[in-house]
Amino acid sequence: MDVVNVGFIGLGVMGRPMALRLAVSGTPLVVWNRTPSRAEPLRAAGAEVAADAAEVFARAEVVLLMLADEAALDTVLGRGTPAFATRVAGRVVVHMGTTSPDYSHALQADVLAAGGRYVEAPVSGSRVPAEQGLLVAMLAGEESAVELVRPVLAPMCRETFVCGAAPNALLMKLSVNLFLVTLVTGLTEAFHFAERQGLDRDLFLAVLDAGPMASGVSRMKAPKLRERDFAVQAAALDVLKNTRLIAGAAREAYLASPLLDTCRALFEETVSLGHGGEDMVAVLRAIEARTAATRP
């Protein structure tokens, strides 16, 4: 593979460990983050730190964007301003965050019209897999752009899957996330039930781990429930955002999503209780609040 100069914008909970994997792999990398201190570990790992987003686009052929939402993407890209064409023309813009499929489809059209290329590459996995280079990426877009981007992602991902045309990668990500959200919420409710029935928590987790329901997710999240460890791997606020995106996509396709809708309500309660910045297992707090409300 020819050496590709890569840019990375967005060094949050997921973005920073992802970018670090690229830096330590020797990928020629220039990074930028709105909060400059977030970029210092990247500088120490050998990446160049840009003064602003425009510099990243000026210096990189492929620009990876791991940003929180659509507004942040539009701001970084300069979308709707003359800066947009200057930034994206001749570049491959790689959208790695989670937004609505409709937004991504429209963004692709704008990037192509401005002379750039566009790839969706959302990832499945939380902070720990990001640190370990064990994410799973879903890619969609024009074939030659996807094939250019796929090896760039290798230091961050244990597997990549090509999903066809955009927005199929985001639709795939939302499908995976629907299962993840309902799985973790179910695990949390089961833990709460066992605990409040007076069962030994360690024994419950041992039985769970020995049986057919055990998974990488349960093995990561169950110990956090036992220890009431709400340090963030995937934040409850981000999960709520995902449930809203999934529900929106379901409504557009006239699909029922009953389990998802219940989980969405629980995560809305988790955030309203002030726990949006905690890990998604903090949905336990909403379940506990409902339990408290049932008592006479």
Side-chain angles (χ1 to χ4, degrees):
M1 183 188 77
D2 294 335
V3 175
V4 176
N5 292 315
V6 176
F8 199 110
I9 298 177
L11 304 175
V13 171
M14 291 289 291
R16 186 159 70 173
M18 291 166 65
L20 279 168
R21 295 288 307 184
L22 290 174
V24 300
S25 76
T27 300
L29 187 65
V30 56
V31 304
W32 180 78
N33 192 72
R34 183 177 60 180
T35 304
S37 61
R38 299 285 301 174
E40 289 310 309
L42 275 299
R43 192 193 305 274
E48 299 290 330
V49 178
D52 53 30
E55 184 183 345
V56 175
F57 285 94
R59 296 176 58 183
E61 303 160 67
V62 174
V63 180
L64 311 181
L65 304 173
M66 191 62 178
L67 296 165
D69 53 33
E70 297 165 8
L73 276 161
D74 286 347
T75 298
V76 161
L77 290 164
R79 196 170 176 212
T81 75
F84 179 74
T86 302
R87 292 184 184 183
V88 306
R91 307 290 183 272
V92 181
V93 176
V94 184
H95 171 23
M96 300 196 74
T98 306
T99 61
S100 77
D102 285 348
Y103 169 86
S104 179
H105 195 254
L107 178 58
Q108 175 184 245
D110 287 351
V111 170
L112 295 178
R117 292 192 285 171
Y118 182 81
V119 174
E120 286 180 348
V123 293
S124 182
S126 57
R127 177 180 55 82
V128 173
E131 291 171 345
Q132 297 171 343
L134 297 177
L135 298 172
V136 174
M138 294 142 276
L139 286 75
E142 190 270 322
E143 184 177 354
S144 66
V146 168
E147 289 309 309
L148 176 65
V149 168
R150 199 172 189 179
V152 171
L153 304 183
M156 300 181 288
C157 302
R158 63 181 176 87
E159 287 198 64
T160 57
F161 293 91
V162 178
C163 301
N168 279 359
L170 273 167
L171 287 168
M172 187 70 75
K173 171 68 183 294
L174 295 182
S175 301
V176 170
N177 278 4
L178 195 162
F179 180 49
L180 172 66
V181 171
T182 55
L183 178 67
V184 172
T185 305
L187 170 65
T188 303
E189 184 174 330
F191 176 84
H192 175 70
F193 178 85
E195 183 180 48
R196 294 303 175 94
Q197 294 287 355
L199 300 180
D200 181 280
R201 294 179 301 170
D202 289 333
L203 180 60
F204 166 70
L205 296 183
V207 171
L208 174 66
D209 198 51
M213 290 81 72
S215 67
V217 171
S218 68
R219 288 172 178 142
M220 180 178 292
K221 296 303 186 184
K224 291 178 71 64
L225 288 166
R226 181 186 60 212
E227 304 301 328
R228 296 188 70 86
D229 170 16
F230 300 119
V232 68
Q233 293 172 337
L237 184 60
D238 290 334
V239 174
L240 176 57
K241 182 191 84 168
N242 273 266
T243 65
R244 289 170 174 167
L245 290 172
I246 298 165
R251 299 298 90 82
E252 283 195 16
Y254 301 98
L255 300 175
S257 55
L259 292 179
L260 184 280
D261 296 340
T262 297
C263 293
R264 176 182 175 182
L266 283 166
F267 277 95
E268 285 175 344
E269 292 165 28
T270 303
V271 171
S272 71
L273 289 168
H275 305 297
E278 297 177 350
D279 189 71
M280 65 188 299
V281 296
V283 72
L284 177 65
R285 299 186 189 273
I287 295 170
E288 289 173 337
R290 287 198 186 190
T291 289
T294 66
R295 292 176 178 170

